[in-house]
Amino acid sequence: GQQLNQSPQSMFIQEGEDVSMNCTSSSIFNTWLWYKQDPGEGPVLLIALYKAGELTSNGRLTAQFGITRKDSFLNISASIPSDVGIYFCAGQPPGSARQLTFGSGTQLTVLP
Amino acid sequence: GAGVSQSPSNKVTEKGKDVELRCDPISGHTALYWYRQSLGQGLEFLIYFQGNSAPDKSGLPSDRFSAERTGGSVSTLTIQRTQQEDSAVYLCASSDSNQPQHFGDGTRLSIL
């Protein structure tokens, strides 16, 4: 089956710093999604990417759909304490299958 | 509420018992998905319902797992003869057409 490699597994940063995390795949995806999950809650959609090369921003978050369709990155600028959580990338393959393949997550800790 | 609703939020049961987990999708969403999240891991696809089509059961780990979706709305995931390795958070998501999936807060299942 398809595998998503997400890195880094965890990050400790100072408040105000910028953060970058990425996902790579062994096969292509038609859609890349980035979710954030807080403890005890379900993942919440941050950004959706539908086109190779697409660069999309949502406030302090910026994500890109890699031109090869096998990778994506998420940047968070000027981190704040509420950015703490687990960030997941997810990809949707070509064809009729609708289920998402998820990365293993990046645990982000923001230090004051 | 406006979001995906799952119940119960927590379930503790003895090994060998059957459990039923419920998902109320967002009203009007035609697609419904079940995922499993083990501790510290990403989400693992289980099953997908789309309208009146036959469900995609390709992610179910064994024949002890089954799911139904009645009337194109509420879904129930059933695990028979539970095992300790079934302990996880079970997440439900729904989506409309080709839109991104929106998740509930999950059911945390613990098998003693």
Side-chain angles (χ1 to χ4, degrees), chain A residues 21-77:
Chain A
M21 57 193 80
N22 69 84
C23 277
T24 59
S25 170
S26 57
S27 54
I28 63 173
F29 287 110
N30 274 359
T31 301
W32 281 94
L33 304 169
W34 285 91
Y35 287 86
K36 178 177 182 246
Q37 186 176 29
D38 291 329
E41 299 183 8
V44 174
L45 181 68
L46 298 175
I47 291 180
L49 302 159
Y50 299 102
K51 184 178 177 181
E54 179 182 358
L55 182 72
T56 296
S57 293
N58 178 9
R60 292 178 298 106
L61 278 59
T62 302
Q64 183 156 30
F65 191 146
I67 196 69
T68 65
R69 298 167 68 190
K70 293 184 179 181
D71 64 297
S72 177
F73 72 75
L74 174 71
N75 287 342
I76 305 173
S77 63

Side-chain angles (χ1 to χ4, degrees), chain B residues 27-70:
Chain B
S27 178
H29 279 190
T30 56
L32 186 148
Y33 313 77
W34 284 97
Y35 294 86
R36 178 170 68 177
Q37 185 176 29
S38 299
L39 186 64
Q41 301 296 313
L43 281 68
E44 172 192 7
F45 166 74
L46 296 177
I47 188 169
Y48 157 55
F49 296 89
Q50 173 63 59
N52 295 322
S53 302
D56 178 350
K57 304 179 181 180
S58 60
L60 294 179
S62 78
D63 59 7
R64 296 186 296 103
F65 288 71
S66 63
E68 291 184 341
R69 188 179 186 193
T70 55

Side-chain angles (χ1 to χ4, degrees), chain B residues 13-18 81-85 110-112:
Chain B
T13 192
E14 293 179 345
K15 176 182 172 181
K17 300 286 188 183
D18 297 351
R81 305 181 302 282
T82 52
Q83 304 294 313
Q84 287 188 329
E85 61 264 26
S110 299
I111 309 299
L112 303 178

Side-chain angles (χ1 to χ4, degrees), chain A residues 6-9 11 19 21-23 33-38 43-44 46 60-61 74-76 79-90 102-110:
Chain A
Q6 184 171 351
S7 64
Q9 285 188 324
M11 300 182 74
V19 172
M21 57 193 80
N22 69 84
C23 277
L33 304 169
W34 285 91
Y35 287 86
K36 178 177 182 246
Q37 186 176 29
D38 291 329
V44 174
L46 298 175
R60 292 178 298 106
L61 278 59
L74 174 71
N75 287 342
I76 305 173
S79 58
I80 60 177
S82 61
D83 290 336
V84 167
I86 304 177
Y87 292 79
F88 290 101
C89 62
F102 278 81
S104 56
T106 295
Q107 171 73 63
L108 179 64
T109 302
V110 179

Side-chain angles (χ1 to χ4, degrees), chain B residues 8-26:
Chain B
S9 54
N10 288 281
K11 177 72 175 179
V12 181
T13 192
E14 293 179 345
K15 176 182 172 181
K17 300 286 188 183
D18 297 351
V19 295
E20 284 190 353
L21 312 179
R22 176 187 169 104
C23 173
D24 282 89
I26 293 173

